[in-house]
Structure formats: C-alpha cells, structure tokens
Amino acid sequence: MNACLDPMSVSSLKIVPKTTKSLEEARRVLTLEANSLESLANHLDHSFTETIEILNRIQGRVIVTGIGKSGHIANKIAATLSSTGTPSFFIHPTEASHGDLGMLSKEDAIMILSSSGETQELLDIIGFAKRFGIPLIGITGSAESTLGKASNVVLTLPPYQEACPHQLAPTTSTTLMLALGDALAVALLQEKGFSALDFKNLHPGGKLGARLSLVSDLMRDQTDLPLSSLKTPMSEALIQMTQKGFGCLGIIDQDKKLCGIITDGDLRRHMSPTLLNMTAEEVMTPSPLTISKEAWAQEALHIMNEKSITSLFVIAENRTPLGLIRLHDCLKAGLS
C-alpha cells in the first residue's frame, strides 16, 4: 500500500540549499569579468582613436569576422554597428575561403576577432586584406601574434584570466571583445552625429520603433479635427463633438487659432437646462494643453498621463491646429 503525504505537510516542506558553492562561483565569475572590463577601459590608447578614424573614413562597410566564440561576438558587433549608423555584416571565415571573399571590396574595412591571434581559419581573410589594401583592424590578446602584426591597427586586450576554472572556455576574453565592440559602435555613433531620429529610421518595428515615434506619426490630421468657433451655439457644438467621436472639441478664434477646448468634463461642469443656449466660448476651457508635431510621442503620452487627459491638440507655432493625438492611439502603437 502506497503511503500518501498529507497536503498540508507537503505545502510546509522547505527546500534548504545544501551549499552556496554555485552562488559563490557566480559571484567570482562576475567580479573577475567586471575587474577585467575596468582594466580594458584603462588599457585603451591611441589605437582606439585610430580605429574610429578608419571606420568613419571608409566609403564601404565594416566586415567583422572571427571563429568559434569570437565569431559569435563578431556577429553581434556587426549587428550593433549596423543598427547605429555604420553599415556592417559578419562573414564566416570558412565560408570566406570558399567564395564569400567576393562580398568584400576595397572600400570596406575588416575587423578580425581572435584571442590568440593565431587562428588558422583567419589566414585567408588576412591575406586578402593585405593583397587588396583593405584596412585591417585586429582585436586580439597579443600584438605580436600573426593577426596583430598583420593589422593596420591592433586593439589588444589587457592581460586577463578566463573565468573558466580550467582556463579553457572563452569567457572573460569574449566579454572583453563584446564590450570593446560596444565602445566602438557608440564612439562611431557620436562621431557620425547619429541622432535618435536616425535610430528611429533603422528601428521602425516593435517596441523600440514605437518609443521613437513622433507625434506627427500618430496624430489624426486636419481632416478629422473636431473644431468649432467661439460663438457656435452649444446645440451645434454638441453635434460636431459627437460626430467626430474624439470626446473633445477644439475652439478656434476668428484667425483660426486654437483658443480653447470642450471636453466631456466641461459638459458635466456646465450641465443645466440652459446648456444648449450657451456658446462654445462660455463652456470651453481656455488655453488648452497642446504639443508640437515634431515632439516625441512619448512626450505626448507623458503629458496626458500626468494631467489625466485623453487627447492633445497638435498645433503650429502660430497655434493653428494641425492634428490631434489621443491616449488610445499612443497605447495602440505600443507606447506605455
């Protein structure tokens, strides 16, 4: 007969870790790699500046390559460069030796990652770069290696200890290469004057694309605007407000400039038997909050959340209404 545990006794069981060895090991790895990153920051010299000058000067693309774990890091660096305004792609060294060298041109620059600098699979790319005068940037642990000596500029890693206890698995070395790639991409971004708007153009999709939307991207344009004049009777203003379905009505003066707004809240505050006999001017809230079409949509969302309102009129510098941005449109676009 099988014994059954009482449900209450099962729920009261506690899992007590027998050892903190794994936690201590994790902290050792992270501390070691963090210290190595600090060493890398202090190790950078004029070679980094020369690299930025080369990458900023070329007319082509940055070709990044490496084998094994260095290859994975090279692939990520190429993606980061491309997304921050420096056209780049990864090429596999073995495929390069079997025809993919045809993807390279004299207008490009080649960046090779190799901890030892002696990786056999990289020799064909190194030879191709030297034969056709393509700038070669080496990222390696040894300036005296084959890669280091062949490079036009060599970015050496500071002395490091792999986090692997056997000193075999690339760990600290790949972390240093990854961070160095980020440093290059950001420095190039600054050098090129790559703006948030440029970034938006390269990231139109997903959450990031939504965050980089402008008000002009999400606003309802002039053809949809609910507008009435100051002297419009509320009997007519209510019809206009209801037909547009935005829950608000912009009030314009004789010069067609926005001077007020009527919202559902204004209607409730003036609710009386005489409401329909009043004019829009008597019911409106004067000098409503507005925003420019060049502003970030995130800014519009912040204003609406902070002021507990659901829409903002978009105006030109002379207060001419250009559009309307709604909280619902921002949320629908993925802003939050």
Side-chain angles (χ1 to χ4, degrees), residues 305-316:
N305 283 330
E306 187 177 61
K307 301 299 182 181
S308 298
I309 57 179
T310 59
S311 58
L312 279 173
F313 271 95
V314 183
I315 61 170

Side-chain angles (χ1 to χ4, degrees), residues 7-244:
M8 292 298 292
S9 64
V10 173
S11 63
S12 63
L13 290 176
K14 294 182 179 179
I15 300 175
V16 180
K18 295 181 179 180
T19 178
T20 59
K21 185 177 179 180
S22 60
L23 185 59
E24 292 173 355
E25 183 66 5
R27 287 173 174 158
R28 181 193 69 81
V29 170
L30 295 176
T31 300
L32 175 63
E33 295 195 353
N35 290 339
S36 296
L37 286 172
E38 184 174 357
S39 177
L40 174 62
N42 296 326
H43 182 74
L44 294 181
D45 57 17
H46 61 88
S47 296
F48 186 90
T49 305
E50 289 179 27
T51 300
I52 295 299
E53 290 176 354
I54 290 174
L55 298 184
N56 192 38
R57 185 173 64 242
I58 61 170
Q59 299 299 309
R61 301 143 305 172
V62 180
I63 314 304
V64 194
T65 189
I67 199 75
K69 303 300 182 294
S70 296
H72 292 297
I73 300 302
N75 210 333
K76 191 274 179 185
I77 291 174
T80 301
L81 287 169
S82 291
S83 71
T84 51
T86 301
S88 178
F89 66 84
F90 170 78
I91 186 171
H92 194 284
T94 303
E95 297 297 333
S97 298
H98 294 274
D100 281 2
L101 284 173
M103 301 166 69
L104 281 63
S105 74
K106 294 181 179 180
E107 286 73 36
D108 299 332
I110 301 174
M111 185 184 300
I112 298 181
L113 281 63
S114 172
S115 178
S116 67
E118 300 293 347
T119 307
Q120 188 73 25
E121 292 89 342
L122 298 171
L123 294 180
D124 287 340
I125 296 181
I126 293 174
F128 187 87
K130 304 311 291 183
R131 185 160 63 252
F132 291 99
I134 300 174
L136 177 60
I137 298 159
I139 296 180
T140 179
S142 173
E144 298 304 313
S145 64
T146 299
L147 173 60
K149 291 179 178 179
S151 298
N152 296 95
V153 181
V154 58
L155 296 171
T156 57
L157 304 179
Y160 61 84
Q161 176 185 347
E162 297 287 15
C164 168
H166 307 300
Q167 288 294 294
L168 296 175
T171 45
T172 305
S173 58
T174 48
T175 297
L176 292 173
M177 289 178 179
L178 181 63
L180 186 54
D182 286 343
L184 288 168
V186 173
L188 268 173
L189 178 154
Q190 297 281 12
E191 191 74 17
K192 292 172 179 285
F194 190 77
S195 68
L197 184 58
D198 295 322
F199 200 82
K200 171 185 179 294
N201 292 332
L202 297 180
H203 299 77
K207 191 78 172 180
L208 186 56
R211 286 177 52 199
L212 294 170
S213 296
L214 298 176
V215 167
S216 57
D217 296 325
L218 303 182
M219 73 180 193
R220 304 301 181 96
D221 61 26
Q222 289 174 311
T223 58
D224 287 331
L225 284 186
L227 297 172
S228 289
S229 64
L230 286 165
K231 301 305 179 183
T232 301
M234 283 304 298
S235 57
E236 296 179 18
L238 278 172
I239 294 174
Q240 174 76 346
M241 186 173 173
T242 303
Q243 286 178 338
K244 294 295 184 178

